[in-house]
């Protein structure tokens, strides 16, 4: 059965988000960096900046030499999360089979849905209009018979729009494209293919055998030859339901006051603990992510010696993580706490434990949960979190 695969991509995702919030930034050379120092690296660059020679991964000092009018932006993780959720919601209305392909990118499997949704081209046109109207974002769409060519079709446009490849014509479509367009080539392999074999177009790779490619590409040769012929049997794989718990908060005002930060973290642990108890699970692993006002973020992890689900136990471990992660003087803006490696609580008592203490803590936690359920989350809480 012929497949219909759609690839959606928002070009220069972080820059597009900034322009959606502030339209005055349009048509200006922009770049997103985690800091304002001269050594900070750029991880998203607008097309206007690329025209002046600025590239992703370049440091700020060199970027300003290439483009003196370059305007630096700080990352906005809260905007990214909101936009990603919006894109996924729109995609789920078009197909139950969708697969994330990075921030602002995803595959949709539209196979067999033409009688209900219309042709894949119609679906792409509708989705393009919805993304523009509801999220104020531009989007590039590639439609083809497999994921590889759908992705390459969208990338070949270079601007927002739709590229629909005739089914069965995938190999002919990618044949004249540059070798660097193939996923997995990379800068090093592209350089070796050009210098050693003088291969510039995809069709030149497709004409070679695996044995001829092996001296240059090694074990990657078979997959490279398959891709150069427009073949990709990989199906669209929906995201698996996560067994982890994640809670995050965005401070109303960036702060470096210990009392306010520990209170915000305490509220996160309360929410995580409540979700753990509702699932009937303990957590063995905690991960804390701190986002600073200048866009820099840091992440620390800890493995608990004893799995836990009580607020106080999680709070103590989270405080330990905060002490290890919070090493800069810059104000904090964003906190995220992840509870991972969830396990069924063990009923086996420790040989040297005091059952009375454990029973009292469980009873106290049950009372807290009951009061919150009856009178709201703010009815009762630990003093440090208020």
């Amino acid at each position: 059965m012929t497949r219909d695969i759609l690839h959606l991509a928002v070009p220069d995702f972080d820059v597009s988000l900034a322009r959606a919030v502030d339209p005055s930034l349009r048509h200006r050379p922009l770049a997103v960096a985690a800091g304002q120092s001269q050594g900070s690296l750029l991880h998203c660059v607008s097309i206007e900046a690329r025209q002046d020679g600025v590239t992703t991964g370049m440091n700020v000092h060199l970027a300003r030499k290439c483009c003196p009018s370059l305007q630096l932006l700080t990352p906005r993780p809260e905007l990214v999360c909101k936009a990603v959720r919006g894109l996924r919601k729109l995609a789920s209305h078009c197909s139950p089979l969708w697969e994330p392909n990075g921030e602002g990118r995803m595959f949709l499997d539209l196979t067999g849905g033409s009688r209900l949704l219309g042709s894949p081209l119609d679906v792409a046109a509708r989705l393009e209009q919805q993304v523009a109207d509801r999220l104020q974002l531009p989007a590039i769409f590639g439609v083809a018979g497999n994921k590889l060519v759908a992705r390459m079709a969208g990338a070949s446009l270079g601007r927002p729009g739709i590229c629909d490849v005739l089914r069965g014509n995938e190999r002919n479509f990618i044949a004249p494209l540059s070798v660097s367009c193939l996923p997995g080539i990379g800068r090093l392999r592209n350089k070796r293919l050009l210098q050693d074999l003088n291969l510039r177009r995809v069709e030149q790779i497709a004409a070679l055998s695996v044995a001829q490619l092996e001296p240059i590409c090694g074990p990657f040769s078979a997959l490279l030859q398959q891709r150069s012929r427009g073949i990709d049997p990989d199906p669209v794989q929906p995201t698996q339901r996560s067994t982890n718990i994640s809670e995050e908060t965005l401070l109303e005002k960036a702060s470096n006051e210990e009392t306010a930060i520990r209170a915000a973290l305490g509220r996160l642990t309360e929410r995580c603990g409540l979700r753990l108890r509702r699932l009937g699970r303990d957590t063995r692993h905690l991960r804390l992510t701190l986002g600073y006002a200048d866009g820099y973020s840091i992440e620390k992890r800890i493995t608990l010696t004893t799995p836990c689900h009580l607020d106080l136990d999680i709070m103590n471990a989270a405080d330990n993580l905060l002490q290890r992660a919070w090493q800069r003087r810059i104000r904090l803006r964003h906190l995220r706490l992840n509870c991972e490696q969830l396990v069924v609580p063990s009923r086996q008592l420790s040989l040297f434990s005091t059952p009375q203490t454990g029973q009292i803590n469980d009873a106290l936690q049950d009372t807290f949960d009951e009061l919150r359920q009856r009178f709201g989350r703010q009815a009762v809480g630990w003093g440090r979190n208020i």
Side-chain angles (χ1 to χ4, degrees):
M1 181 179 182
T2 302
R3 295 191 298 168
D4 294 314
I5 308 298
L6 182 147
H7 183 254
L8 180 157
V10 177
D12 309 325
F13 190 54
D14 285 356
V15 170
S16 297
L17 287 178
R19 287 174 170 171
V21 174
D22 185 2
S24 65
L25 297 176
R26 292 174 182 172
H27 309 299
R28 294 184 182 180
L30 305 173
V32 178
Q36 299 290 328
S37 65
Q38 296 298 307
S40 299
L41 301 181
L42 309 181
H43 70 261
C44 187
V45 179
S46 69
I47 187 172
E48 294 82 4
R50 287 198 296 271
Q51 290 173 351
D52 287 340
V54 180
T55 60
T56 302
M58 183 180 288
N59 62 50
V60 172
H61 176 70
L62 183 56
R64 289 196 184 280
K65 281 189 173 182
C66 295
C67 180
S69 60
L70 182 69
Q71 184 173 345
L72 286 180
L73 305 174
T74 57
R76 301 281 299 275
E78 69 281 3
L79 280 181
V80 172
C81 293
K82 186 176 180 180
V84 168
R85 286 196 298 267
L87 286 173
R88 292 179 178 179
K89 184 177 180 180
L90 293 176
S92 63
H93 292 161
C94 297
S95 173
L97 291 177
W98 56 271
E99 175 187 346
N101 186 230
E103 288 184 350
R105 297 173 178 269
M106 62 180 63
F107 292 103
L108 286 80
D109 192 340
L110 306 177
T111 305
S114 58
R115 296 185 63 180
L116 179 64
L117 302 172
S119 68
L121 186 58
D122 293 336
V123 174
R126 260 196 325 270
L127 194 54
E128 181 185 29
Q129 190 64 42
Q130 291 172 351
V131 171
D133 292 343
R134 301 184 186 181
L135 304 179
Q136 306 299 315
L137 293 174
I140 298 175
F141 295 86
V143 186
N146 59 58
K147 292 166 62 176
L148 169 72
V149 180
R151 176 181 171 183
M152 295 179 66
S156 68
L157 287 177
R159 56 180 176 78
I162 304 171
C163 181
D164 188 6
V165 179
L166 184 66
R167 307 305 175 270
N169 198 44
E170 285 82 7
R171 178 171 179 174
N172 293 333
F173 174 80
I174 67 174
L177 298 181
S178 170
V179 168
S180 59
C181 294
L182 285 173
I185 288 292
R187 185 177 302 176
L188 181 59
R189 283 198 180 111
N190 185 35
K191 183 178 179 180
R192 295 186 66 184
L193 288 170
L194 287 175
Q195 290 182 349
D196 297 351
L197 300 179
N198 195 28
L199 301 177
R200 301 181 179 275
R201 297 188 304 275
V202 174
E203 60 184 351
Q204 293 175 315
I205 296 180
L208 299 178
S209 66
V210 175
Q212 291 173 308
L213 291 172
E214 278 184 348
I216 299 297
C217 300
F220 182 64
S221 302
L223 182 59
L224 175 61
Q225 187 202 51
Q226 185 184 64
R227 289 178 176 177
S228 68
R229 297 179 179 183
I231 301 172
D232 182 14
D234 188 26
V236 174
Q237 300 176 349
T239 54
Q240 300 296 324
R241 180 173 294 182
S242 175
T243 57
N244 300 330
I245 288 177
S246 176
E247 289 288 346
E248 59 184 335
T249 184
L250 182 68
L251 302 179
E252 293 183 4
K253 184 179 180 181
S255 173
N256 56 4
E257 295 183 5
E258 184 179 356
T259 302
I261 300 302
R262 293 183 72 243
L265 181 59
R267 290 190 289 271
L268 290 182
T269 60
E270 287 182 343
R271 298 205 295 265
C272 287
L274 180 61
R275 292 178 61 184
L276 284 171
R277 292 187 292 276
R278 286 177 176 175
L279 289 173
R281 295 291 186 270
D282 284 353
T283 180
R284 292 187 57 89
H285 192 92
L286 290 182
R287 176 161 53 94
L288 177 64
T289 305
L290 303 181
Y292 290 89
D294 61 355
Y296 181 82
S297 63
I298 188 171
E299 181 178 284
K300 293 292 183 180
R301 306 166 182 261
I302 188 173
T303 300
L304 305 176
T305 54
T306 303
C308 63
H309 61 269
L310 300 179
D311 289 350
L312 281 180
D313 294 337
I314 303 173
M315 208 175 294
N316 291 333
D319 283 340
N320 184 15
L321 280 177
L322 179 64
Q323 186 176 2
R324 291 167 46 197
W326 195 11
Q327 301 294 331
R328 303 178 75 213
R329 297 182 180 180
I330 308 299
R331 295 181 179 182
L332 288 176
R333 179 66 173 161
H334 177 258
L335 293 90
R336 181 170 65 246
L337 182 65
N338 291 72
C339 297
E340 302 170 342
Q341 297 184 15
L342 306 188
V343 296
V344 177
S346 174
R347 302 303 178 188
Q348 179 67 40
L349 298 178
S350 173
L351 181 62
F352 303 102
S353 65
T354 55
Q356 293 81 6
T357 303
Q359 292 172 0
I360 292 174
N361 290 339
D362 285 338
L364 179 61
Q365 188 68 73
D366 292 342
T367 303
F368 269 40
D369 292 344
E370 183 178 353
L371 288 173
R372 290 167 180 163
Q373 184 176 2
R374 292 179 60 185
F375 304 107
R377 183 175 294 175
Q378 304 299 327
V380 63
W382 304 101
R384 54 168 277 182
N385 303 339
I386 298 175

